[in-house]
Amino acid sequence: MDKEEQDKLEKIVRSSLSPVRLAQRAQIVLMASEGMRNQDIANALGIGRVKVSRWRNRYAQSGLAGIEHDLPR
């Protein structure tokens, strides 16, 4: 992850205008970039490990666009 992408994600996390889901996804990606394991991220955020894995994979595939929107159901 480059510095510009990291700055965007940090801005999303800090902004009170960011949707809660997007802020959480950005936090997942930032924590992963620090080398944290899925289980550790899940424990820190109080969510499931599968959810962490899903959003890490979506970010890896599509970048920021991958975490901005839910997939259609």
Side-chain angles (χ1 to χ4, degrees):
M1 171 185 321
D2 63 14
K3 180 68 173 150
E4 183 180 337
E5 192 81 3
Q6 183 176 359
D7 289 344
K8 287 179 185 177
L9 290 167
E10 288 174 354
K11 184 177 178 181
I12 290 169
V13 170
R14 287 191 312 265
S15 174
S16 61
L17 301 176
S18 296
V20 174
R21 288 180 177 179
L22 178 59
Q24 184 180 67
R25 294 169 190 171
Q27 186 66 45
I28 289 168
V29 172
L30 286 170
M31 293 171 88
S33 74
E34 295 171 358
M36 291 183 71
R37 297 177 320 132
N38 287 357
Q39 188 62 53
D40 296 334
I41 296 170
N43 290 342
L45 298 178
I47 58 176
R49 183 184 50 78
V50 173
K51 187 174 187 178
V52 172
S53 178
R54 176 186 318 126
W55 292 111
R56 285 183 72 170
N57 290 335
R58 292 267 311 268
Y59 180 80
Q61 292 174 356
S62 304
L64 188 55
I67 64 169
E68 288 181 328
H69 304 288
D70 292 326
L71 290 175
R73 296 181 182 202

